[in-house]
Amino acid sequence: MTHITASAPCSMHDPFVKSPSQRDPFKTAQKQLDEAAAIMKLDPAAHELLRWPLRELHVTLPVRMDNGSTRIFHGFRVQHNDSRGPNKGGIRFHPDETIDTVRALATWMTWKTALLDIPLGGGKGGVICDPKTMSDAELERLSRAYIRQVGRILGPDKDIPAPDVYTTPRIMAWMADEYSFMQGNNEFGVITGKPLALGGSAGRGDATARGGIYCVREAAAEIGMNLAGAETAIQGYGNAGSSAHKLAVELLCMKVIAVSDSKGGIYNPDGLDYKAVHAHKQKTGSVTGFSEATAITNEGLLELDVAVLFPAALESVITETNAANIRAKIIAELANGPTTPEADTILYNKGTHIIPDLLCNAGGVTVSWFEMVQNAYGYYWEKEEVHARLEKKMKTAFRSMYETAGKYHVHNRLAAYIVAVSRVAEAMKLRGWF
Ligand code: NAD
């Protein structure tokens, strides 16, 4: 592993500490791989190689704040495996970001691109910061400073970032602009999730949720569940969660009875109107305080007796502590890593149908890949074409996971791992890496 570090003498945060929940998502990612490797009888060298990122860049970023002071931020870019193609994965801006979270997310991207059979690898980036307390000008300076540092390992043929938690199309535009300055020519293909006017793809905005909704439809058909009028709850109300609210109603005719964000949740057994909740969140910055609902905690929301639960916030929210209390029939993991391995076993034994993150939220990276293809050709598709191509990709991946689960008698997540790991191992073998 190439480990390039640039550490600051003093810092408010230790970037090497674990996530606040004290669960290490990277250990979770390694454990999930270990389980699949044992079942597949994966070559030991390939297994060890895949347990670690190939490359990491740690950066320290001085940023001029609006009050004239300079603040030092820490950031990372992790490239887990590029045997099947350039690394691909989002950038998070979050106060609790850690190197282990970024490592885990980069690893999961490798599996996700392989499961969807997209010719890309796995990467992820992050900056420890609290965007909610920063002005637009400060965020722009931070975004440009990050790209000036990590730009040397990025590029349309090397590593292509995208938005993730608390990063937006606007931030992607600043980053694409900074990278283009560094190259001396427009390089919009270096980043995806851009605004449409700068080479973004139609249909990228709700692609993550849309892909998850297609999976829920497939899973419900498998278990004979009627989704029309069925109740659902959504944890997290950002890009993934709020789009899931809209599309669950629009495409599946479901009833969304609870949603939440970092400030808390809201509940209405008669259903929450998407437009009204969205408008309230736009106005106040949170779903909490919505007049046509009562309050519910994030923990309480997860335990509601619903047909489908969408975790769409952060990792490690379903653990061995609350798994036994989860009553949802289907868990559609729009968030990355919301369920720990211990919780997985409890839920599997209870008969809960989990659509694992590797598949459920892969609509985002799939349409990001479409965006790269369109950037390369300078020719752009209609939204309907994007939706149709996405649906086909999601259904194909769902089928390969489902058939593998049947063949090996394992749960969906393990099946998804087996499909993905075998594809990556095949590429590494053909390249002579082991
Ligand atoms: P976002 O920044 O748009 O929204 C995050 C949401 O989570 C916000 O509503 C925030 O208030 C809420 N949240 C934060 N902490 C919370 C907590 N402790 N409890 C409850 N809610 C909390 O982010 P996003 O892009 O929607 O990403 C959400 C999840 O989906 C992440 O795990 C991300 O990695 C995953 N994901 C996103 C995409 C994408 O295309 N945006 C693609 C794949 C996976």
Side-chain angles (χ1 to χ4, degrees):
M1 176 175 78
T2 313
H3 191 99
I4 313 168
T5 42
S7 56
C10 66
S11 158
M12 296 293 286
H13 300 274
D14 176 353
F16 298 96
V17 296
K18 285 187 184 145
S19 57
S21 62
Q22 292 306 307
R23 281 171 206 290
D24 178 345
F26 185 51
K27 284 209 169 65
T28 297
Q30 288 182 317
K31 196 169 169 186
Q32 289 164 338
L33 168 68
D34 295 346
E35 273 186 61
I39 293 172
M40 300 163 63
K41 303 193 182 2
L42 184 65
D43 178 278
H47 180 188
E48 184 60 16
L49 189 52
L50 291 172
R51 294 188 90 239
W52 304 99
L54 288 174
R55 262 166 248 109
E56 291 181 5
L57 182 59
H58 295 222
V59 293
T60 304
L61 311 167
V63 175
R64 187 64 46 87
M65 306 305 277
D66 290 347
N67 66 8
S69 68
T70 298
R71 260 190 73 185
I72 309 300
F73 293 87
H74 293 281
F76 319 98
R77 186 72 193 171
V78 175
Q79 298 177 339
H80 174 256
N81 192 287
D82 53 7
S83 59
R84 299 182 81 254
N87 301 285
K88 180 93 189 82
I91 298 169
R92 269 189 190 184
F93 282 1
H94 198 278
D96 297 329
E97 194 62 284
T98 69
I99 181 61
D100 280 326
T101 310
V102 182
R103 284 175 179 147
L105 291 162
T107 310
W108 288 325
M109 286 306 296
T110 301
W111 311 139
K112 208 177 294 184
T113 50
L115 178 64
L116 270 288
D117 207 7
I118 293 171
L120 295 169
K124 205 80 181 188
V127 177
I128 304 167
C129 66
D130 187 356
K132 289 182 184 170
T133 62
M134 295 171 69
S135 70
D136 282 354
E138 289 168 345
L139 272 179
E140 178 175 351
R141 289 193 288 270
L142 174 65
S143 304
R144 291 183 184 278
Y146 178 74
I147 289 300
R148 282 197 297 276
Q149 283 286 355
V150 303
R152 65 198 70 189
I153 63 166
L154 301 182
D157 298 319
K158 290 196 273 188
D159 186 355
I160 308 99
D164 199 274
V165 174
Y166 297 154
T167 52
T168 59
R170 189 167 186 211
I171 290 176
M172 298 304 111
W174 291 326
M175 290 182 169
D177 182 66
E178 191 65 31
Y179 186 82
S180 296
F181 269 116
M182 288 165 70
Q183 299 303 308
N185 54 279
N186 281 344
E187 279 281 16
F188 294 162
V190 71
I191 208 154
T192 59
K194 301 179 294 290
L196 283 178
L198 284 183
S201 173
R204 176 62 182 89
D206 68 10
T208 301
R210 186 174 288 272
I213 292 284
Y214 292 150
C215 292
V216 168
R217 200 163 58 192
E218 295 297 304
E222 283 298 335
I223 62 174
M225 176 191 281
N226 180 11
L227 289 170
E231 292 179 334
T232 180
I234 303 169
Q235 186 194 44
Y237 211 72
N239 174 295
S242 67
S243 302
H245 184 174
K246 183 167 183 278
L247 296 175
V249 176
E250 258 177 37
L251 301 182
L252 304 178
C253 303
M254 297 191 78
K255 186 162 75 167
V256 178
I257 61 165
V259 300
S260 69
D261 59 26
S262 59
K263 299 211 173 86
I266 53 173
Y267 170 73
N268 182 341
D270 295 327
L272 294 161
D273 178 64
Y274 166 73
K275 275 196 183 143
V277 176
H278 187 70
H280 177 79
K281 169 111 183 162
Q282 295 282 94
K283 199 168 146 202
T284 66
S286 172
V287 296
T288 56
F290 181 62
S291 57
E292 289 151 51
T294 52
I296 186 169
T297 62
N298 262 295
E299 296 72 27
L301 177 145
L302 292 173
E303 297 178 9
L304 284 172
D305 188 4
V306 287
V308 183
L309 171 67
F310 289 94
L314 297 176
E315 58 281 350
S316 305
V317 292
I318 302 176
T319 67
E320 72 271 32
T321 317
N322 62 354
N325 303 332
I326 305 280
R327 288 181 287 170
K329 315 288 174 299
I330 295 176
I331 298 179
E333 294 183 340
L334 288 177
N336 280 306
T339 311
T340 63
E342 298 77 17
D344 246 346
T345 309
I346 298 169
L347 291 164
Y348 182 55
N349 290 337
K350 261 171 41 137
T352 311
H353 192 100
I354 297 184
I355 308 171
D357 50 0
L358 296 189
L359 174 66
C360 193
N361 68 31
V365 70
T366 304
V367 177
S368 274
W369 171 51
F370 296 165
E371 183 174 330
M372 288 171 63
V373 172
Q374 294 170 83
N375 289 158
Y377 280 91
Y379 178 78
Y380 290 84
W381 308 339
E382 300 292 330
K383 198 181 342 183
E384 292 70 25
E385 185 170 357
V386 171
H387 291 169
R389 287 177 186 268
L390 173 64
E391 186 168 7
K392 194 169 172 205
K393 274 304 230 184
M394 297 304 300
K395 275 186 178 170
T396 307
F398 186 94
R399 291 263 66 87
S400 25
M401 176 191 79
Y402 216 75
E403 279 156 23
T404 307
K407 181 174 163 196
Y408 287 90
H409 305 290
V410 293
H411 58 68
N412 285 346
R413 190 185 318 280
L414 213 40
Y417 263 83
I418 291 169
V419 175
V421 172
S422 59
R423 287 179 183 163
V424 177
E426 184 191 3
M428 295 199 307
K429 180 85 182 160
L430 288 168
R431 294 178 67 143
W433 289 10
F434 71 95

